[in-house]
Amino acid sequence: MARDTSSSQAHPQRRPLHVERFINQFLDAACDESRRAILELLVPPMGWDSPEGYELRAGEIAQQLGLARSTTSEHLHHLLNLHLVAARKEGTVIYYRLRNHHLVQAFHEMLRALETHYHTLSSSFEPSRTTEG
């Protein structure tokens, strides 16, 4: 019996297109070093009672990351558009917190696993470097 290898049969458990777009947008945002650092900063410290109650001011985020306020604002706006962070305004100050703590926490667990993996490997050898040209 011949096997149908068309794309509809090759991936019968494909996600809906809009979900694929959100996943790609998240990964794109998380691949930016500054946005990834912002997401990491917004993860509540160990022992924090409620992730919903942990928030930082935009200025605090900029200061801790050593970024200009305008640059930080652009990154936060991007994360807001992706529904990864939520904002609360109090007077002229805007506070930011993670919108989906579990999603970002899972991402940070993956980062820790990668860090451990590559730290272990680096003691054995230096990673190969590719050259262009």
Side-chain angles (χ1 to χ4, degrees):
M1 176 184 255
R3 185 181 259 181
D4 182 359
T5 59
S6 67
S7 63
S8 64
Q9 291 297 316
H11 301 287
Q13 300 294 324
R14 296 278 321 201
R15 294 175 191 90
L17 186 57
H18 71 282
V19 173
E20 286 289 333
R21 280 192 212 121
F22 284 126
I23 291 170
N24 290 340
Q25 289 172 340
F26 170 81
L27 293 173
D28 181 56
C31 285
D32 181 281
E33 189 175 345
S34 296
R35 286 189 282 252
R36 187 172 59 245
I38 290 170
L39 291 172
E40 288 187 83
L41 270 180
L42 292 173
V43 172
M46 294 296 275
W48 191 263
D49 291 339
S50 169
E52 290 79 29
Y54 186 74
E55 56 189 19
L56 294 172
R57 295 187 317 260
E60 289 175 302
I61 295 169
Q63 183 179 26
Q64 288 188 40
L65 296 180
L67 296 174
R69 286 180 184 244
S70 60
T71 303
T72 303
S73 178
E74 288 177 30
H75 288 307
L76 287 166
H77 183 71
H78 188 77
L79 294 171
L80 277 166
N81 285 339
L82 293 175
H83 307 285
L84 294 173
V85 298
R88 176 179 68 83
K89 191 170 185 177
E90 189 174 293
T92 60
V93 178
I94 302 175
Y95 293 88
Y96 293 89
R97 66 175 172 80
L98 294 176
R99 186 170 184 151
N100 185 327
H101 176 73
H102 298 291
L103 174 65
V104 177
Q105 190 64 43
F107 177 70
H108 290 287
E109 288 295 322
M110 182 187 72
L111 291 177
R112 282 192 280 276
L114 287 167
E115 184 179 334
T116 300
H117 174 74
Y118 287 112
H119 178 72
T120 302
L121 285 178
S122 69
S123 64
S124 302
F125 64 91
E126 286 294 314
S128 63
R129 295 184 183 177
T130 60
T131 58
E132 294 182 11

